[in-house]
């Protein structure tokens, strides 16, 4: 199993300098991928923008949206062009994780309803596939830049419609930060949908988890996750904060549990923006 690290693009107060230094340190420490989170109504950096900054200071590490909320972006051709641009400029390193999202305020701020967002996502994915295939659109031809191989596509979600979407459009599935037990329960449903659709091979399966290391680990987890998940209520936000790995032993317990559950890549997201968090995670993993 690959163990990746998440950029602090959604940690409140992260500076541009911290973001790029975090990316540099992650690559130097041998992490295979950098992940990003996505919300509209939050003081976070857009995933494509954050990954573009990371791409400029790295050469090897994969650049992943884990996930980016697709339906409220509406213009599928534009999203496809943005993804293709990042993919081409980074040398083919983009992994595009997409989902419908769970917060009403993100849609309200976009002037949209959450109703029908699954159907919207399906139609947008169809359009994006056509764009990446080079379908002609006007006097200048296709929407570019051209991509020899489109970004690997991971689909998020925890309901049957999401699993069917993985099988129809994706290369794999990504779970949110709900733990290895839930992953072990849900992953077989993804594989079943994949097989039922007649897809060859197996879907790539990924998940998220949170961590904070160092002397202020518990405070960092409480402040960051308590704020990020405040929309769920104080009790649930507190439970999520308490689930973060705050010592090397717990980090490795998470890694072992996800590996045993059949996860292909685990994205560990720091609850702080200091690039030292990437260093501490690497040390905890023996990198």
């Amino acid at each position: 199993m690959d163990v990746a690290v998440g950029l602090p693009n959604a940690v409140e107060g992260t500076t541009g300098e911290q973001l790029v230094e975090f990316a540099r340190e992650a690559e130097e420490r041998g992490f295979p991928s950098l992940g990003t989170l996505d919300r509209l109504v939050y003081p976070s950096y857009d995933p494509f923008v954050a990954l573009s900054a990371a791409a400029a200071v790295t050469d090897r590490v994969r650049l992943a949206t884990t996930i980016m909320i697709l339906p409220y972006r509406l213009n599928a051709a534009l999203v496809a062009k943005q993804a293709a641009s990042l993919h081409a400029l980074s040398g083919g390193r983009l992994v595009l994780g997409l989902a419908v999202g769970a917060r009403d305020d993100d849609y309200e701020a976009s002037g949209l309803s959450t109703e029908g967002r699954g159907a919207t996502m399906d139609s947008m994915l169809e359009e994006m596939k056509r764009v990446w295939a080079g379908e002609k659109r006007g006097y200048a031809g296709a929407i570019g830049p051209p991509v020899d191989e489109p970004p690997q596509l991971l689909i998020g979600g925890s309901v049957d419609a999401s699993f069917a979407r993985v099988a129809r459009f994706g290369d794999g599935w990504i779970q949110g930060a709900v733990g290895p037990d839930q992953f072990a329960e849900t992953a077989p449903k993804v594989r079943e949908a994949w097989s039922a659709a007649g897809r060859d091979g197996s879907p790539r399966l990924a998940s998220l988890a949170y961590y904070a290391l160092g002397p202020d680990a518990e405070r960092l987890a409480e402040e960051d996750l308590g704020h990020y998940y405040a929309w769920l209520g104080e009790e649930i936000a507190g439970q999520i904060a308490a689930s973060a790995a705050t010592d090397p032993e717990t980090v490795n317990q998470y890694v072992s549990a996800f590996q045993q559950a059949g996860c292909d890549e685990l994205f560990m997201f720091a609850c702080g923006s200091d690039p030292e968090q990437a260093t501490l995670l690497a040390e905890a993993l023996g990198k």
Side-chain angles (χ1 to χ4, degrees):
M1 183 181 74
D2 289 336
V3 180
V5 65
L7 283 172
N9 74 300
V11 176
E12 187 176 15
T14 298
T15 66
E17 181 179 4
Q18 287 174 321
L19 188 82
V20 297
E21 285 301 322
F22 202 106
R24 284 194 185 102
E25 178 65 10
E27 178 160 273
E28 289 176 5
R29 288 286 181 161
F31 286 102
S33 303
L34 294 168
T36 50
L37 301 177
D38 185 29
R39 287 177 67 172
L40 182 59
V41 185
Y42 200 74
S44 53
Y45 296 108
D46 178 81
F48 279 159
V49 176
L51 290 175
S52 295
V57 298
T58 58
D59 299 304
R60 174 196 52 78
V61 67
R62 293 188 295 264
L63 309 165
T65 62
T66 52
I67 51 72
M68 189 172 76
I69 302 168
L70 182 61
Y72 69 61
R73 286 175 161 84
L74 281 182
N75 190 331
L78 177 59
V79 176
K81 184 179 182 72
Q82 291 170 328
S85 298
L86 176 53
H87 196 50
L89 290 171
S90 66
R93 291 189 280 150
L94 178 63
V95 176
L96 194 58
L98 301 169
V100 298
R103 291 169 292 272
D104 292 341
D105 55 359
D106 287 337
Y107 281 83
E108 291 169 359
S110 302
L112 301 170
S113 169
T114 56
E115 186 176 353
R117 58 189 169 169
T120 299
M121 182 163 173
D122 289 344
S123 65
M124 291 181 72
L125 287 167
E126 290 174 346
E127 170 72 347
M128 291 167 68
K129 293 272 191 177
R130 290 193 292 267
V131 169
W132 292 333
E135 186 176 284
K136 305 298 187 208
R137 298 303 177 92
Y139 293 111
I143 297 170
V147 289
D148 294 332
E149 291 289 338
Q152 184 183 74
L153 192 59
L154 302 181
I155 305 296
S158 58
V159 297
D160 289 344
S162 300
F163 310 148
R165 191 170 294 124
V166 172
R168 182 180 176 189
F169 297 106
D171 300 297
W173 170 71
I174 185 165
Q175 174 184 260
V178 294
D181 292 341
Q182 185 66 37
F183 184 94
E185 180 179 332
T186 306
K189 299 177 183 178
V190 180
R191 296 190 186 98
E192 288 170 7
W194 186 271
S195 297
R199 295 287 300 270
D200 294 330
S202 301
R204 184 167 181 80
L205 304 178
S207 190
L208 275 61
Y210 292 112
Y211 81 95
L213 296 170
D216 294 326
E218 293 184 3
R219 178 185 62 80
L220 288 171
E222 181 178 350
E223 290 180 356
D224 177 50
L225 299 177
H227 188 247
Y228 192 77
Y229 287 102
W231 65 283
L232 292 172
E234 184 175 348
E235 182 178 355
I236 295 177
Q239 292 172 353
I240 295 172
S243 72
T246 54
D247 56 68
E249 293 76 19
T250 307
V251 166
N252 283 284
Q253 287 172 7
Y254 267 121
V255 169
S256 177
F258 274 104
Q259 187 170 21
Q260 291 178 24
C263 186
D264 295 309
E265 185 163 25
L266 176 63
F267 288 84
M268 299 289 295
F269 273 84
C271 299
S273 52
D274 192 328
E276 185 184 16
Q277 286 296 322
T279 307
L280 292 172
L281 179 62
E283 291 174 350
L285 296 171
K287 288 181 175 288

